[in-house]
C-alpha cells in the first residue's frame, strides 16, 4: 500500500533523483497543511510504484525550505529526475495534483 515518505535534508537528493517526485512542505501547526494531507496520502496510493511522494516538515528541515525558497506552506514541489519542474502553493483540489503528475509521467 502506497504511503508518503518522510524526507529530511540528508535524504532529499536520494529520494528525488529518479523519475517523478512530489514533495509536500508542511508543518504540524499549519491548518491548510493538515487539510491537504489526505490528498497527498491518496496520491501516494494512486501512484504507488510510479511516483515518489514525500513530506518535509519545515520546522525540522529549515535548510530545505530555504534551499527551495518555500516561504509559505503548504507548498508542494514537483521534480523530474531530481530537477524541480513545477509547484502548487496552498490548498488545491486533488485533480490539480493529478493533472501535474500525469503531465510529468507522460512527458
Amino acid at each position: 500500500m502506497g504511503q508518503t515518505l518522510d524526507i529530511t535534508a540528508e535524504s532529499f537528493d536520494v529520494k528525488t533523483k529518479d523519475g517523478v517526485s512530489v514533495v509536500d512542505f508542511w508543518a504540524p501547526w499549519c491548518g491548510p497543511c493538515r487539510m491537504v494531507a489526505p490528498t497527498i496520502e491518496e496520491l501516494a496510493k494512486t501512484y504507488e510504484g510510479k511516483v515518489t511522494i514525500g513530506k518535509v516538515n519545515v520546522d525540522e528541515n529549515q535548510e530545505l525550505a530555504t534551499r527551495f525558497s518555500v516561504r509559505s506552506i503548504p507548498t508542494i514541489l514537483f521534480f523530474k529526475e531530481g530537477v524541480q519542474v513545477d509547484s502548487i502553493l496552498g490548498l488545491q483540489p486533488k485533480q490539480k495534483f493529478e493533472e501535474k503528475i500525469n503531465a510529468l509521467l507522460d512527458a
Side-chain angles (χ1 to χ4, degrees), residues 34-88:
R34 290 193 307 270
M35 292 170 69
V36 80
T39 299
I40 300 297
E41 296 293 334
E42 287 176 34
L43 293 170
K45 291 177 183 146
T46 301
Y47 291 97
E48 182 178 12
K50 298 177 188 171
V51 177
T52 299
I53 298 182
K55 297 171 77 69
V56 172
N57 182 329
V58 297
D59 287 343
E60 297 172 357
N61 297 281
Q62 292 179 358
E63 63 276 13
L64 279 177
T66 300
R67 176 175 163 190
F68 292 101
S69 301
V70 173
R71 290 178 178 41
S72 61
I73 52 176
T75 293
I76 295 84
L77 302 181
F78 297 80
F79 296 84
K80 184 144 189 180
E81 307 303 334
V83 177
Q84 182 186 340
V85 294
D86 210 342
S87 65
I88 291 178

Side-chain angles (χ1 to χ4, degrees), residues 15 20 23 26 29 31 34 37 48 57-58 60 64 72 79 85 89 92 95-96 102-105:
K15 305 268 188 199
V20 174
V23 181
W26 72 287
W29 48 263
R34 290 193 307 270
E48 182 178 12
N57 182 329
V58 297
E60 297 172 357
L64 279 177
S72 61
F79 296 84
V85 294
L89 180 61
Q92 298 291 330
Q95 178 184 351
K96 186 156 185 167
N102 290 334
L104 290 172
L105 289 173

